[in-house]
Amino acid sequence: MTTASEISPAARAPQTPASRWPVMLTTEGWPDYALIDSGHGRKLERYGPYRIVRPEAQALWTPRLSAEEWDRADAIFTGAKDEDSDGRWKYRKPLGETWPMAWPLPRAVGEGEVRFLGRFTAFRHVGFFPEQEMHWAWFGRKIRDAKYADPKRQPKVLNLFGYTGIASFVAAMAGAQVTHVDASKKAIGWARDNQTMSGIADLPVRWIVDDAMKFVQREVRRGSKYDGIILDPPKFGRGPNGEVWDIFERLPEMMALCRQLLADDALFLCLSAYSIRASFMAIHETSAEALSGLPGTLESGELLIREEGEGRTLSTSLFSRWSRDG
């Protein structure tokens, strides 16, 4: 279903944790998702029953498919100059507001599937980022392995900027107790709908509508500890009371606080960053500074999606992730 490859791991001076970069993690798609084609600043994807066209500035090449194939898309997003701008969707025929989707859990993580709702939003997104499946499978396996090693252990996982909850559900289904934080009450409502849709309303997920930075600061003062932390921050955002998040200004502080929240025998920390003009080395070195002194391995690179049919690969976001067992 997915592949992960490491391209030319760089030799680094000895440090803790050990570093590996660049690491390229490639999503090949699954039954409910595929990157069909890309080029000329756009991408054509399949989300469940729908074919969707959205802007993609990095797709500099020429599309493989004909213009007629692209024109048959069910929905086309237009009118936005960048990721932070509102636009609008043009529909070939009337579509429902939401539609069901699913991601099958890898065997190493658990059984069944995570079910959730796709939805057309004004910011071109549809409720999840498919390349993140590489992280879902990774930290899901870390949690599952910890449970096998100690059946009485229930790892505590903090999901910051949690959005519509898929990462939280994977962690919970793997055996974790999850605290899900997002500044958007609407996103939390969407996530709770997804939880009900997945039939996992009884799993331990705590929902917090709050500014991520303020929540983490309070958790540090409380002396709280977590076995795993997931962060998928936007480039820019606002908290429920007007708090301002700018990834270039606030990420170092956020990472330092998250380091204080990691338990002595913590399992992992997973950071993603999208829609920013930066190298993955920027978040790698930020993470390395914050996590200095920890054992294990810090690997950084890019999340990629491959076009179906062994096509080209499209870079979608940067990441840096640490795990105790490498």
Side-chain angles (χ1 to χ4, degrees):
M1 179 176 64
T2 59
T3 62
S5 60
E6 299 177 14
I7 302 176
S8 303
R12 298 298 308 274
Q15 64 178 44
T16 56
S19 291
R20 289 195 300 183
W21 57 262
V23 177
M24 303 297 177
L25 304 177
T26 306
T27 291
E28 304 283 356
W30 63 90
D32 267 359
Y33 173 77
L35 175 60
I36 300 170
D37 193 16
S38 59
H40 289 171
R42 301 192 301 168
K43 56 186 175 183
L44 173 62
E45 300 166 285
R46 185 183 70 252
Y47 283 88
Y50 299 137
R51 290 160 60 101
I52 295 172
V53 173
R54 296 185 291 169
E56 180 48 69
Q58 295 195 79
L60 304 177
W61 44 83
T62 302
R64 296 181 299 164
L65 300 180
S66 67
E68 289 76 14
E69 283 288 327
W70 284 68
D71 290 340
R72 282 200 286 270
D74 297 284
I76 300 175
F77 188 84
T78 62
K81 295 181 179 180
D82 55 50
E83 290 273 354
D84 298 320
S85 302
D86 284 357
R88 63 189 183 91
W89 291 93
K90 295 174 59 178
Y91 305 104
R92 189 161 55 91
K93 60 182 180 181
L95 303 177
E97 180 184 358
T98 63
W99 68 95
M101 294 193 63
W103 181 69
L105 289 175
R107 287 187 178 181
V109 176
E111 298 181 355
E113 60 186 13
V114 180
R115 297 191 296 274
F116 50 94
L117 293 171
R119 177 181 277 121
F120 297 109
T121 72
F123 287 97
R124 85 182 63 188
H125 305 306
V126 296
F128 76 105
F129 301 96
E131 66 274 12
Q132 289 289 329
E133 73 151 343
M134 300 304 299
H135 290 331
W136 302 337
W138 179 78
F139 62 69
R141 187 173 64 253
K142 303 292 183 187
I143 295 166
R144 192 76 168 199
D145 289 348
K147 292 286 289 183
Y148 278 132
D150 182 0
K152 295 182 179 180
R153 184 178 185 182
Q154 187 175 36
K156 292 179 60 179
V157 171
L158 175 61
N159 186 10
L160 297 169
F161 310 95
Y163 197 33
T164 57
I166 301 174
S168 294
F169 305 145
V170 173
M173 294 171 78
Q177 177 183 344
V178 182
T179 298
H180 175 110
V181 182
D182 198 281
S184 168
K185 186 175 181 180
K186 184 176 181 180
I188 293 287
W190 189 348
R192 292 179 72 97
D193 288 343
N194 287 339
Q195 184 182 27
T196 300
M197 183 178 176
S198 284
I200 54 174
D202 58 329
L203 290 183
V205 179
R206 181 168 64 122
W207 305 102
I208 306 292
V209 179
D210 201 353
D211 176 73
M213 184 69 81
K214 284 188 174 180
F215 178 82
V216 167
Q217 289 169 341
R218 286 198 304 273
E219 287 290 88
V220 169
R221 290 195 296 269
R222 293 174 183 138
S224 299
K225 296 294 181 180
Y226 292 90
D227 300 293
I229 300 178
I230 305 162
L231 307 93
D232 189 18
K235 177 173 62 176
F236 181 86
R238 292 191 180 275
N241 297 309
E243 302 92 343
V244 176
W245 167 266
D246 183 313
I247 194 169
F248 289 104
E249 294 181 2
R250 307 304 300 277
L251 184 60
E253 179 185 358
M254 173 64 80
M255 290 297 292
L257 291 167
C258 286
R259 170 66 179 89
Q260 295 180 64
L261 291 178
L262 287 173
D264 291 341
D265 58 347
L267 304 173
F268 67 88
L269 182 146
C270 185
L271 165 67
S272 301
Y274 58 93
S275 301
I276 66 172
R277 296 180 179 179
S279 162
F280 70 86
M281 287 305 301
I283 62 170
H284 176 85
E285 296 296 358
T286 301
S287 299
E289 179 181 61
L291 302 177
S292 177
L294 284 176
T297 301
L298 177 67
E299 57 182 14
S300 306
E302 300 182 15
L303 296 178
L304 314 173
I305 303 177
R306 191 184 307 280
E307 293 174 350
E308 63 181 359
E310 298 297 321
R312 297 162 295 199
T313 52
L314 177 67
S315 177
T316 60
S317 57
L318 316 175
F319 78 91
S320 188
R321 65 189 193 184
W322 165 83
S323 68
R324 179 169 297 276
D325 61 7

